[in-house]
Amino acid sequence: MKKALCIISGGMDSTLCAYLAKKQGYKIVALHFDYKQRTQSKERECFEKICEALKVHKSYILNADFIENIGANALTDTKFAIPKNELGKDEIPITYVPFRNGIFLSIAAALAEKEKCESIFIGVVQQDGSNYPDCTKKFIKRAQKFINQGTALKHKISIKAPLVKLRKKDIVALALKEKVPLELTWSCYESNDLACGECDSCLLRLKGFKQAGFKDKIAYKNLQD
């Protein structure tokens, strides 16, 4: 059976990607990164529950603490405040982790080579994103090229980003259609217990559920009308 390496953060986008990969007939090799992000413990907990629900073939949790040492972002450096109620601004927010998806894809490529995976699935979203430069279709296309130039597999690795052009409302609707347990996923940038309901990621998630006509099952500290 063909295998796919799925990068799963614990969020709903990457989780949906893994479910779509399984629907396409792939055995799932699940990969999660700990990089000293504020919500590391919650994201790891969600990853483990998602792997159990998905019945993955194999799972890996890799240490990427060096990302914290690089810093320059609010997800790993508490000297920066998590932006609140700033969704939709044009500038790249301080929650952008420099070249994170490039780092993740490079490490994922090494693991995919070891596991002889045909594809790597990643849940990047360009349409409703926060202007992150490593969440674009062009970036994924170029990453696939450099990965295939630098790996020794006889077959080419295909990097699949099936959500890259979708709006968050469409992601929510598709996830529920595919019976993805979104209540097991986590989006909040700040909190490990109750989602804050105010950071860009929470606001985008809540907006997606509202526009799709569904209620999010996770609990929030702050909910705005």
Side-chain angles (χ1 to χ4, degrees):
M1 184 183 286
K2 60 185 181 179
K3 290 196 287 186
L5 189 140
C6 297
I7 302 172
I8 303 176
S9 67
M12 65 181 185
D13 300 337
S14 59
T15 302
L16 172 56
C17 282
Y19 271 77
L20 293 176
K22 188 168 186 179
K23 184 179 182 180
Q24 292 173 29
Y26 287 97
K27 270 187 178 179
I28 305 302
V29 178
L31 172 60
H32 179 76
F33 292 98
D34 283 345
Y35 57 100
K36 291 293 183 71
Q37 66 273 38
R38 292 178 192 239
T39 55
Q40 176 173 295
S41 62
K42 185 64 176 183
E43 289 180 25
R44 184 170 182 160
E45 173 192 325
C46 290
F47 170 75
E48 291 170 344
K49 289 179 179 178
I50 291 159
C51 286
E52 184 178 356
L54 197 53
K55 295 180 171 59
V56 301
H57 171 64
K58 193 179 289 188
S59 66
Y60 290 86
I61 297 175
L62 297 185
N63 185 323
D65 286 359
F66 62 88
I67 290 175
E68 181 195 27
N69 295 331
I70 294 170
N73 71 90
L75 297 194
T76 64
D77 192 339
T78 55
K79 78 180 180 186
F80 298 110
I82 297 289
K84 299 293 180 68
N85 299 309
E86 293 188 8
L87 187 63
K89 291 193 174 181
D90 289 335
E91 66 269 18
I92 297 173
I94 193 64
T95 51
Y96 165 64
V97 180
F99 202 59
R100 179 179 60 181
N101 286 331
I103 294 167
F104 286 178
L105 283 169
S106 296
I107 297 171
L111 187 56
E113 186 168 1
K114 175 203 170 187
E115 292 288 345
K116 296 182 172 53
C117 294
E118 297 179 28
S119 299
I120 297 171
F121 279 72
I122 184 168
V124 296
V125 178
Q126 179 175 329
Q127 294 296 89
D128 276 332
S130 300
N131 298 311
Y132 293 172
D134 57 352
C135 288
T136 66
K137 189 174 181 180
K138 181 185 288 187
F139 172 76
I140 295 299
K141 184 177 180 180
R142 291 183 176 177
Q144 179 175 282
K145 186 175 181 180
F146 88 73
I147 282 172
N148 280 307
Q149 286 180 336
T151 49
L153 285 167
K154 292 180 181 179
H155 64 268
K156 298 294 185 184
I157 295 176
S158 174
I159 301 181
K160 297 184 181 294
L163 312 184
V164 69
K165 290 293 186 180
L166 296 185
R167 296 285 184 187
K168 193 64 74 173
K169 65 177 182 178
D170 301 316
I171 291 170
V172 170
L174 179 58
L176 293 174
K177 178 184 175 183
E178 297 299 331
K179 296 181 170 49
V180 178
L182 294 181
E183 67 276 8
L184 299 183
T185 66
W186 196 251
S187 302
C188 185
Y189 284 150
E190 187 169 58
S191 175
N192 284 287
D193 45 20
L194 293 178
C196 74
E198 296 178 325
C199 69
D200 284 0
S201 190
C202 280
L203 291 174
L204 190 55
R205 177 178 175 129
L206 287 165
K207 178 183 175 183
F209 270 93
K210 183 176 182 179
Q211 291 181 340
F214 296 97
K215 180 176 174 55
D216 194 356
K217 292 182 180 179
I218 72 168
Y220 289 85
K221 291 179 184 177
N222 299 290
L223 280 176
Q224 300 180 15
D225 295 332

